[in-house]
Amino acid sequence: MAIEDYLFIEQPLIARIKEKMPGLQGVYACANLADLATQQQITPAAHVIYVGDETGTTSKDQGNLGKVQVVTQLWAVILAVYDADPINTGEGARRLAGPLIASLLRAVSGWKPDDTVKPLVRGRPVPPHYANGYGYYPFVFKAEFVFNT
């Protein structure tokens, strides 16, 4: 079956997180990390961002003249939490984030968005960020599938 929407994983991923993490105040699609940092935050929340592809260069990866490609899409899920921390150590945000991180990893790691995608696996780590009481905890997941041009 030909894939008509190259970013088809976004909405099922959002739905999966909403289903498995009902304690979140929201799960949002976000264009990039800069947008996330400048928006008014509702917390706790998850933000889903497409961060690009990995493609191999061998004939196994590229198939017949590059028309059939094994693609690994990278999807970041950033958990955002807030804790009014008068001394700005981030400790409260980490306490809030810990259980949410465990729930996120259980919900997404090994999950298959549909029959065309291999089970999602963790990708390269991205460091967390803390500022003014907000903690941002990013996790990258790899979604591998075959795309036929």
Side-chain angles (χ1 to χ4, degrees), residues 18-128:
K18 283 180 179 179
E19 173 192 352
K20 296 295 184 178
M21 300 181 71
L24 293 176
Q25 295 299 308
V27 181
Y28 308 101
C30 191
N32 58 54
L33 289 171
D35 286 349
L36 175 62
T38 60
Q39 294 174 357
Q40 181 73 308
Q41 294 294 305
I42 297 171
T43 61
H47 301 268
V48 175
I49 302 173
Y50 168 70
V51 292
D53 292 348
E54 294 176 346
T55 56
T57 57
T58 68
S59 60
K60 175 184 168 275
D61 299 315
Q62 295 292 325
N64 184 13
L65 302 175
K67 293 199 176 283
V68 177
Q69 302 171 355
V70 176
V71 175
T72 302
Q73 286 186 347
L74 304 174
W75 289 89
V77 179
I78 296 97
L79 291 172
V81 297
Y82 177 78
D83 180 72
D85 181 357
I87 56 175
N88 210 28
T89 65
E91 182 181 347
R94 288 190 301 278
R95 275 196 322 269
L96 293 171
L100 294 173
I101 292 168
S103 293
L104 175 68
L105 297 178
R106 283 189 197 99
V108 180
S109 297
W111 169 70
K112 286 181 61 147
D114 71 16
D115 291 338
T116 65
V117 182
K118 288 187 176 182
L120 272 60
V121 296
R122 296 272 304 273
R124 191 171 294 225
V126 177

